[in-house]
Amino acid sequence: MHKAPWLTILGLGEDGLDGLSPASRQVLDRAEIIMGPPRHLSLIPETGAKRVEWPVPFADGLPILSKLRGRPTVVLASGDPFWFGAGSVIARSFDAGEWVSIPGQSTFSLAAARLGWPLETTLTFGLHAAPLTRLRPHLSSGLRTILLLRNGQAVAELATYLTETGFADTTLHVMEALGGPRERARSMSLTQALLETFEHPVCVGLDVAGDGRALPKVAGKPDDIFETDGQITKRPIRALTLSALAPRRGEHLWDIGGGTGSISIEWLMCDPTLTATSIEPLEDRASRIRRNADSLGQDRLDVVHGTAPGALNGLTLPDVVFVGGGLSTELLDWLRANLLAGTRLIANAVTLESEALLAAWQEKLGGDLLRIELAQAGALGPRRGWKSAYPVVQWSVTL
């Protein structure tokens, strides 16, 4: 453990030195090395410190920074380094006693102040290094959100994406170089945005409007939002399964026999801290799971093409396991032998053989057995009747 932090992560605005507090200026003056992207370095005057440009991709800068360990070093970051900024990545790479952070004014705060939007009810997204599809679960008419984008060209990409998803009446509030002498803010339609050019750094406030489809916030999303070959846990069963999986912050799921990926994708939609791995033996289905995850903004899903239990070796152990396909004695034996105590296991069965297997394991390990029988009204000649789906038996147990 270092006696005093050698590294300062300093939040810097577009106003450069003028926006820094006296304490931040003193840190800069004492620094032996100042490291940051070229744009950030250009915002401050020479201090006599050695200047090191942070490379692209960002991860390549961490080994360079680690070689400076012990020398008074300042890393320049935009605004608040811990709000979709570089701070959290740097902090994970060094001991807590090695670094200290002095945040500046965040772009989100500046944008909300320009727009008059309350931040507590405004969604914020850092999309400078993430796909625009991250927006998809949240898009609905009336939504207000502030986005950080990677560059000026991304504004046109955003306008195109919103048009394609049915929210063509959205108003864009495009703000460039907020807080600095180059600041410019304009409100425009999506069509206008396609014709304009914008300078980096840029953020956009969205007043979302249009006839686009808003996705429900509860478990059991509509089946037709997923691309499928028919192998999908249907909406009512999926809602009950998500309830049994009971996701909690920070947990990791194994979705064994992923099929369409609907279970793991909905799991991820429950909270941004959740992660998941979907294991699927068929290559075309594994590719389909990846496409579904990408289109619905769930890029945190890892897809493994392979057959369990062999494909499970070497994977990060989960907090929760769902078995939706490939249920066998061999798989259950492997899970019991290799999973940590306290892992939750939920398995769904449709065939008589898999039902019998779950009944036997429930007698051995305990847990709850639930039989789910659903029927839907449909045409029966000139009248209507109930058409029953195959019953599903669900076993839930904590190992």
Side-chain angles (χ1 to χ4, degrees), residues 56-88:
V56 177
F58 183 84
D60 290 350
L62 295 172
I64 298 173
L65 183 59
S66 67
K67 293 178 181 178
L68 304 176
R69 182 177 270 109
R71 302 169 67 182
T73 302
V74 169
V75 170
L76 301 176
S78 296
D80 185 343
F82 287 88
W83 199 350
F84 293 114
S88 59

Side-chain angles (χ1 to χ4, degrees), residues 110-185:
L110 289 169
R114 302 295 187 272
L115 297 170
W117 293 358
L119 271 176
E120 68 270 17
T121 57
T122 302
L123 291 182
T124 58
F125 291 91
L127 301 182
H128 42 296
L132 294 175
T133 52
R134 286 266 182 99
L135 292 172
R136 188 61 194 94
H138 309 279
L139 286 176
S140 63
S141 188
L143 171 71
R144 281 181 167 177
T145 179
I146 300 173
L147 321 175
L148 304 182
L149 299 179
R150 70 177 184 277
N151 55 30
Q153 290 75 25
V155 178
E157 295 171 15
L158 173 64
T160 300
Y161 179 70
L162 290 168
T163 301
E164 291 173 346
T165 50
F167 297 97
D169 297 329
T170 297
T171 298
L172 300 185
H173 306 282
V174 184
M175 292 160 278
E176 303 157 84
L178 274 177
R182 298 187 298 115
E183 178 177 324
R184 182 168 64 162

Side-chain angles (χ1 to χ4, degrees), residues 224-245:
D224 61 3
I225 70 170
F226 300 99
E227 177 191 342
T228 180
D229 61 358
Q231 188 69 23
I232 184 174
T233 303
K234 296 295 179 63
R235 181 186 59 79
I237 302 297
R238 195 180 331 120
L240 291 170
T241 301
L242 264 292
S243 176
L245 291 171

Side-chain angles (χ1 to χ4, degrees), residues 378-385:
L380 186 62
R383 298 180 181 275
R384 293 182 300 160

Side-chain angles (χ1 to χ4, degrees), residues 133 136-137 215 225-226 265 269 291-298:
T133 52
R136 188 61 194 94
L215 302 185
I225 70 170
F226 300 99
I265 290 170
M269 286 182 175
R291 291 196 299 274
N292 279 326
D294 289 344
S295 68
L296 293 169
Q298 305 308 314

Side-chain angles (χ1 to χ4, degrees), residues 6-7 47 67 77 100 123 181 191 206 225 227 248 278-279 287 289-290 293 323 328 398:
W6 58 272
L7 171 62
T47 64
K67 293 178 181 178
V100 66
L123 291 182
T191 302
L206 298 184
I225 70 170
E227 177 191 342
R248 303 166 189 165
S278 183
I279 301 94
S287 298
I289 292 170
R290 180 73 272 156
V323 182
S328 66
T398 300

